[in-house]
Amino acid sequence: MEEKIIEEITAWLENEMYYEGVQLYQKYGSNAYLKKFFNDGTENHRRNLLTTELKELLTATVATVTAKEAARPDVVQILMREAGSLMDERTALKERARLIIERKIDTEAELSEIVLRIMQGINPRLDEIFGLRDFYDANGYLPETAAVAVQSVSELINRRNTLRTYLSRTAKKGSPKRQLWQSELFGIEQKLKTLEDAVQD
């Protein structure tokens, strides 16, 4: 909810279309008098007050989110840092895919790898992380196995990503270590599946 408020008010402040702002205040504001006041006209004093009220609402909401994030236990903060890294990786991969498509680079295999990484690796893990975060925010605790698994999952994912990078970079040139990396990657993916199944159960 708070993230939605922040996103919508921040976007509105870029253009400050009056009636869109009125709708935001109707949705998120708490003062019944002001809700009617903003609906009754478009004069400058109403516009200025609407901007002030929405900025104050944005500031208060950001403060609430910041306090909530700071109060979360270490395991949840580890998860959120992992989510941040995954979102950065996804952004970089999408940019790479865009360049491949626009420049018609003959790297169809790389494009397929990017799609698979995003659809089968990053997105499901982000869904899991945000699900755990929402569970904690709603209940004040994580599922029993989640706290134990978080650190292991984070470390394993970092190593898995490193191995995938090694394998991708040596796909054409080859390397005497490829077989070793593939074997380690397979073992890590099995461990991750076991840990993630435990978190979901």
Side-chain angles (χ1 to χ4, degrees), residues 6 13 20 40 42 45 51 83 94 98-99 105 117 133 149 182:
I6 292 169
L13 286 168
E20 290 178 9
D40 287 345
T42 62
H45 66 282
T51 299
K94 285 182 176 180
R98 185 184 66 77
L99 289 172
I105 300 170
R117 170 69 184 135
R133 179 204 63 187
Q182 287 169 337

Side-chain angles (χ1 to χ4, degrees), residues 49-118:
L49 182 58
L50 176 64
T51 299
T52 298
E53 289 294 321
L54 287 175
K55 283 181 177 178
E56 288 180 1
L57 179 56
L58 176 61
T59 300
T61 306
V62 168
T64 299
V65 169
T66 301
K68 187 184 290 186
E69 288 173 350
R72 288 173 179 151
D74 288 346
V75 289
V76 179
Q77 295 193 34
I78 289 168
L79 282 170
M80 298 315 297
R81 285 196 294 273
E82 182 187 339
S85 296
L86 288 170
M87 287 189 287
D88 289 344
E89 182 187 354
R90 183 172 63 184
T91 299
L93 287 171
K94 285 182 176 180
E95 177 62 18
R96 175 62 182 161
R98 185 184 66 77
L99 289 172
I100 290 171
I101 292 167
E102 283 183 357
R103 298 177 183 177
K104 298 180 181 176
I105 300 170
D106 187 20
T107 50
E108 187 176 326
E110 184 182 358
L111 190 59
S112 297
E113 285 178 15
I114 290 172
V115 172
L116 286 173
R117 170 69 184 135
I118 292 173

